[in-house]
């Protein structure tokens, strides 16, 4: 027996490198071995921060008897879903079709050609052993029925109808979406639907862009005050297991926190007040403190468990509070943080349902508790860098940094972009992951290209460095050339990617924006900055499915709805020109970025020959002009004073030269 995972770059695969299971990584070798041995594949899909993945690993994959059954009857393949979202997507479709549910760990039995014929998720060890024996018996004694089942599954999945396209959603469609969201809104607790509750980041972006304050504000406050938010260290857990946001599933993901950081910053711009500011800055601090890698990237996740116990790092008892804080402060903190045994074994997740009546005392208590918590055994960290999620973090940190005048956050966003540009881009194509500064081999998928482009466009708007916009344009050209489905939508994998039994395509949001809607957003912003009709029209076409989802499934089209709102508003384009070292230029630039206009794009230039740039082509005459981006073309200072131009569709109103004038123009 030879476990082949010891040289993997995935921390999840490395967690299984010492198992008695004869694991193969995903690849041709595993398929060839299954054909050679004439046995099925057992494909196990998970990720490093997955609690139930750990449970199944301890119960079954570390157990010699269970591993023996696996090795006897199957070629076993371990897949990190975060490295291979395409593999995860096609087998999740099969799992959901067969079982009407999904999740991780995902357990798939497939033919040597990779066609699934039996799927499930977590199996307790006794059930799993019986399943291994029975599937092995069926393969040996009734293979024709097994093969027919696999063929039927593949045929059904490959003939499923995609969502029909349509025009860019109009005001009426967006109003219908708001009404649909209101139908499932939990007015008492915030959020949508019942337990479990996931952070509805993309929906909240849409609601903020539409000016819908009730649903967005109630949800944002409830999440920030509940146990899903880390009241000591900042940052959000994956989801709440209850409807009141009290008890989280404790894993903390980069993508959730990047999305929520941006949402809370946007909430502050829309009137969210001190709570929005505090949560945004604490979450940014958590990202830099706990997820940043030595190379300047961001680790993908923190585990839910420490010392083999879910949530142990985060929960407290009244006795522990008194031990750290003393009797008086301990009792005060127990009341403030709702430490009443809300979790397990008399422990509680900290909540902050009201603002403290003594801010100085609160700050001291919080500092001492955080210091004490740092002495506990920390959860594991998955330190691979995922391009897509890093793109989300770049956008969030860049915008938060400029809004709250934190240049360190902008610097962190820039350093992460440098890592992506130097390590993840090879021969003009994007690689999905890296670890320790070494790129993995897995090709980028649609959401990698789209979210990285989105992050780079945001970074350009904050820094004015045209190199980031040029790189974003290159990535978006690849999206148009390699991912388009010919009907206005996009596949999740490129046309030259590894062929699976199904080419994945899903326009609906999940934990992150769908690749299609993320691409639409980046294409819209790029077109607004450069004047490229190709990119703008592609963005509009990609939004066609939003109209289909808005009336009944708006929760799964949040980012598409947010981008549609921006498209209907223009989006607003602001060109700021003036000497880079002139504080008046900086003041106008920051005022532009403080606007809560949906999908706002900002171009920054000096207003002299230094703005000249060779451009990049992109198949559109406007993009190949001398000035890049084209939004700056013809825009100059006014009587030698820095100026700002507010535009829509490259049609601009008269320039303004003061912050007050710009604020008034943006409010029109």
């Amino acid at each position: 027996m030879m476990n082949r995972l010891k040289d993997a770059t995935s921390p999840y695969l490395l967690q299984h490198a010492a198992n008695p299971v004869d694991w193969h990584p995903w690849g041709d070798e595993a398929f060839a071995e299954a054909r050679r041995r004439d046995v099925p594949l057992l494909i196990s899909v998970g990720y490093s921060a997955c609690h139930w993945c750990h449970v199944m690993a301890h119960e079954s994959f570390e157990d010699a008897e269970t591993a023996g059954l696996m090795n006897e009857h199957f070629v076993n393949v371990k897949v990190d879903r975060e490295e291979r979202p395409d593999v995860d997507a096609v087998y999740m479709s099969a799992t959901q079709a067969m079982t009407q549910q999904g999740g991780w760990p995902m357990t798939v039995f497939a033919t040597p050609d990779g066609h699934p014929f039996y799927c499930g998720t977590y199996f307790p060890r006794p059930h799993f052993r019986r399943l291994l024996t029975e599937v092995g018996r069926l393969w040996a004694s009734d293979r024709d029925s097994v093969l027919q089942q696999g063929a039927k599954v593949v045929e059904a999945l490959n003939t499923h109808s995609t969502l029909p396209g349509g025009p860019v959603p109009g005001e009426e469609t967006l109003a219908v979406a708001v009404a649909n969201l209101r139908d499932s809104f939990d007015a008492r607790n915030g959020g949508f639907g019942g337990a479990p509750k996931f952070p509805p980041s993309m929906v909240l972006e849409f609601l903020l862009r539409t000016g819908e304050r009730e649903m967005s504000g109630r949800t944002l406050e409830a999440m920030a005050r509940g146990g899903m938010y880390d009241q000591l260290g900042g940052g959000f857990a994956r989801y709440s297991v209850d409807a009141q946001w009290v008890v989280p599933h404790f894993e903390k993901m980069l993508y959730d926190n990047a999305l929520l950081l941006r949402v809370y910053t946007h909430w502050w711009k829309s009137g969210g007040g001190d709570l929005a500011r505090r949560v945004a800055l604490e979450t940014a601090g958590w990202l830099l403190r706990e997820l940043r890698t030595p190379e300047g990237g961001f680790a993908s996740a923190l585990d839910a468990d420490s010392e083999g116990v879910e949530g142990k790092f985060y929960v407290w008892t009244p006795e522990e509070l008194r031990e750290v804080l003393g009797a008086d402060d301990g009792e005060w903190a127990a009341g403030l943080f709702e430490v009443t045994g809300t979790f397990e074994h008399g422990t509680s997740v900290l909540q902050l349902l009201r603002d403290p009546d003594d801010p100085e005392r609160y700050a001291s208590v919080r500092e001492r508790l955080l210091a004490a918590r740092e002495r506990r055994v920390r959860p594991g960290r998955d330190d691979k860098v995922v391009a897509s999620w890093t793109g989300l973090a770049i956008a969030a940190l860049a915008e938060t940094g400029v809004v709250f005048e934190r240049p360190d956050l902008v610097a962190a966003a820039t350093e992460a972009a440098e890592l992506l540009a130097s390590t993840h881009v090879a021969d003009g194509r994007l690689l999905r992951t890296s670890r320790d500064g070494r790129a993995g081999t897995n090709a980028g998928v649609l959401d990698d290209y789209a979210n990285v482009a989105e992050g780079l466009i945001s970074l350009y708007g904050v820094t004015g460095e045209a190199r980031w916009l040029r790189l974003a344009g290159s990535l978006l050209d690849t999206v148009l050339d390699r991912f388009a489905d010919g009907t206005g939508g996009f596949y999740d994998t490129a046309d030259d990617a590894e062929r699976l039994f199904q080419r994945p395509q899903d326009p609906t949001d999940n934990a992150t924006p769908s690749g299609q809607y993320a691409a639409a957003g980046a294409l819209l912003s790029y077109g607004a900055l450069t004047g490229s009709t190709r990119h703008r029209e592609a963005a509009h076409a990609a939004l066609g499915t939003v109209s289909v989802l808005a009336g009944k499934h708006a929760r799964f089209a949040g980012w598409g709805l947010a981008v549609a709102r921006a498209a209907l508003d223009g989006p607003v384009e602001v060109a700021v020109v003036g000497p880079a070292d002139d504080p008046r230029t900086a003041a106008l630039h920051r005022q532009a970025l403080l606007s809560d206009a949906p999908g706002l794009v900002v171009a920054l230039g000096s207003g002299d020959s230094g703005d000249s740039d060779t451009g990049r082509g992109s198949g559109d005459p406007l993009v190949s002009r001398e000035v890049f981006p084209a939004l700056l073309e013809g825009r100059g200072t006014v009587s030698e004073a820095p100026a700002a131009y507010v535009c829509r569709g490259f049609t601009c109103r008269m320039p303004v030269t003061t912050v007050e004038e710009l604020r008034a123009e943006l409010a029109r």
Side-chain angles (χ1 to χ4, degrees):
M1 194 278 291
M2 180 177 71
N3 187 317
R4 297 162 178 80
L5 305 184
K6 63 182 179 62
D7 296 323
T9 57
S10 160
Y12 175 62
L13 266 58
L14 290 171
Q15 288 173 358
H16 295 272
N19 292 167
V21 178
D22 185 10
W23 289 117
H24 291 249
W26 178 271
D28 292 339
E29 180 183 325
F31 287 85
E33 180 66 6
R35 286 190 290 268
R36 185 189 69 79
R37 287 180 53 197
D38 192 26
V39 297
L41 296 159
L42 194 166
I43 303 167
S44 175
V45 185
Y47 58 104
S48 72
C50 166
H51 172 71
W52 287 103
C53 298
H54 297 325
V55 173
M56 191 164 178
H58 295 322
E59 288 181 348
S60 294
F61 303 149
E62 295 172 7
D63 176 70
E65 183 177 347
T66 307
L69 289 171
M70 295 172 66
N71 296 337
E72 178 183 356
H73 295 295
F74 306 97
V75 169
N76 305 291
V77 181
K78 178 59 73 174
V79 179
D80 183 341
R81 66 175 293 260
E82 297 174 348
E83 283 198 334
R84 291 301 303 262
D86 52 339
V87 173
D88 177 63
V90 297
Y91 287 113
M92 185 58 71
S93 294
T95 300
Q96 291 172 332
M98 290 183 186
T99 68
Q100 284 71 59
Q101 62 183 6
W104 300 276
M106 179 165 52
T107 306
V108 177
F109 296 90
T111 70
D113 293 326
H115 294 183
F117 59 83
Y118 189 87
C119 302
T121 54
Y122 162 76
F123 293 103
R125 182 166 62 191
H127 187 175
F128 189 50
R129 284 182 180 174
R130 289 194 297 271
L131 181 62
L132 295 170
T133 301
E134 181 63 13
V135 173
R137 184 191 67 78
L138 286 172
W139 183 261
S141 64
D142 193 11
R143 185 175 307 187
D144 286 346
S145 64
V146 171
L147 294 175
Q148 289 173 10
Q149 171 72 4
K152 287 179 181 177
V153 171
V154 171
E155 181 181 6
L157 292 173
N158 281 324
T159 57
H160 78 287
S161 58
T162 58
L163 286 175
V168 176
E171 296 289 354
E172 183 178 347
T173 300
L174 300 193
V176 167
V178 171
N180 177 248
L181 291 168
R182 191 170 286 116
D183 288 342
S184 62
F185 177 61
D186 183 344
R188 179 177 181 179
N189 300 303
F192 300 89
K197 276 187 176 168
F198 291 81
S201 303
M202 292 73 75
V203 165
L204 292 170
E205 285 281 7
F206 166 60
L207 294 173
L208 288 173
R209 289 184 178 190
T210 61
E212 207 301 318
R213 298 289 182 260
E214 178 197 1
M215 289 188 282
S216 57
R218 180 73 189 96
T219 301
L220 286 160
E221 180 170 359
M223 289 194 303
R225 293 194 178 281
M228 199 181 78
Y229 182 68
D230 183 349
Q231 303 296 342
L232 296 184
F236 290 85
R238 179 69 194 94
Y239 62 85
S240 174
V241 301
D242 56 83
Q244 293 77 39
W245 308 103
V246 177
V247 177
H249 182 45
F250 290 90
E251 61 189 10
K252 294 170 83 170
M253 317 301 291
L254 171 60
Y255 52 77
D256 285 322
N257 285 280
L259 289 165
L260 288 166
L261 170 57
R262 202 177 187 192
V263 171
Y264 278 90
T265 295
H266 292 172
W267 187 34
W268 181 83
K269 292 200 294 183
S270 301
D274 291 341
L275 178 62
R277 177 189 179 95
R278 175 174 67 81
V279 172
L281 290 175
E282 287 176 0
T283 301
W286 175 81
L287 279 172
L288 267 60
R289 185 178 67 251
E290 298 201 28
L291 290 192
R292 204 172 187 191
T293 69
E295 298 77 29
F298 291 93
S300 63
L302 294 185
D303 207 333
D305 303 356
S306 54
E307 300 183 85
V309 179
E310 184 181 8
K312 185 174 183 179
F313 182 74
Y314 299 101
V315 298
W316 297 81
T317 63
E319 293 74 22
E320 288 172 328
L321 294 179
R322 287 194 292 269
E323 181 180 337
V324 173
L325 302 172
D328 289 345
D329 280 352
E331 183 177 350
W332 184 80
L336 179 66
F337 290 121
E338 309 291 326
V339 180
T340 57
T342 53
F343 188 47
E344 298 173 346
H345 312 298
T347 64
S348 289
V349 183
L350 302 189
Q351 302 176 76
L352 190 64
L353 302 184
R354 65 188 187 281
D355 289 332
D357 54 14
D358 187 339
E360 290 187 4
R361 188 180 192 185
Y362 165 71
S364 171
V365 162
R366 185 168 175 264
E367 182 179 352
R368 284 180 283 160
L369 289 177
L370 184 60
R373 196 177 76 175
E374 286 298 306
R375 294 191 288 272
R376 296 177 174 178
V377 176
R378 297 187 61 81
R381 186 173 91 153
D382 186 327
D383 57 358
K384 71 175 178 296
V385 174
V386 177
S388 173
W389 308 341
T390 304
L392 297 174
I394 289 168
L397 288 167
E399 293 182 16
T400 302
V402 74
V403 164
F404 297 120
E405 299 181 283
R406 286 282 302 272
D408 59 316
L409 301 183
V410 178
T414 302
E415 191 173 349
E418 297 276 10
L419 176 67
L420 293 182
S422 63
T423 304
H424 285 248
V425 178
D427 299 323
R429 302 297 290 274
L430 195 57
L431 295 167
R432 181 164 174 85
T433 61
S434 68
R435 187 166 185 249
D436 299 329
R438 181 166 63 94
T441 59
N442 297 309
V445 296
L446 178 60
D447 75 326
D448 291 305
Y449 282 85
N451 288 330
V452 170
E454 173 83 9
L456 296 176
I457 291 168
S458 294
L459 186 59
Y460 163 72
V462 168
T463 65
E465 293 186 40
R467 60 178 175 140
W468 301 126
L469 188 61
R470 287 197 297 272
L471 180 54
S474 174
L475 297 176
L476 291 174
D477 285 347
T478 299
V479 168
L480 296 179
D481 294 340
R482 294 286 188 177
F483 290 83
D485 70 358
T487 65
F490 296 100
Y491 289 107
D492 292 333
T493 55
D495 58 3
D496 58 352
E498 178 186 353
R499 294 293 181 190
L500 304 174
F501 70 84
Q502 178 190 22
R503 190 175 180 188
Q505 182 179 31
D506 186 359
T508 58
D509 293 337
N510 200 293
T512 58
S514 78
Q516 178 158 316
Y517 296 150
L523 288 162
L524 184 70
S525 296
Y526 188 79
L529 286 164
T530 64
S532 168
T533 54
R534 181 191 186 206
H535 294 80
R536 183 176 64 252
E537 289 173 357
H540 289 179
L543 294 173
T545 56
V546 174
S547 298
V548 181
L549 296 168
K552 294 184 178 179
H553 306 289
R555 287 168 61 184
F556 302 101
W559 193 247
L561 289 162
V563 176
R565 175 74 273 166
L568 290 175
D569 279 30
V572 173
E573 306 150 353
V574 182
V576 178
V577 292
D581 58 355
D582 190 323
R584 296 174 296 175
T585 306
L588 288 171
H589 182 218
R590 181 167 183 268
Q591 184 59 50
L593 290 164
L594 285 173
S595 169
D596 62 355
L600 171 86
V601 296
V602 177
L604 178 64
S606 63
D608 57 25
S609 60
D611 292 333
S612 295
D613 193 283
T614 58
R616 346 178 12 267
S618 293
D620 191 290
L622 278 172
V623 185
S624 59
R625 291 182 179 182
E626 190 173 309
V627 174
F628 184 79
L631 184 59
L632 292 172
E633 186 174 14
R635 324 281 184 226
T637 57
V638 175
S639 300
E640 300 185 354
Y645 299 75
V646 178
C647 321
R648 280 184 173 88
F650 273 62
T651 299
C652 303
R653 299 196 288 270
M654 294 296 292
V656 297
T657 58
T658 69
V659 166
E660 293 74 21
E661 291 172 326
L662 178 56
R663 186 183 301 119
E665 283 290 307
L666 288 166
R668 286 176 58 180

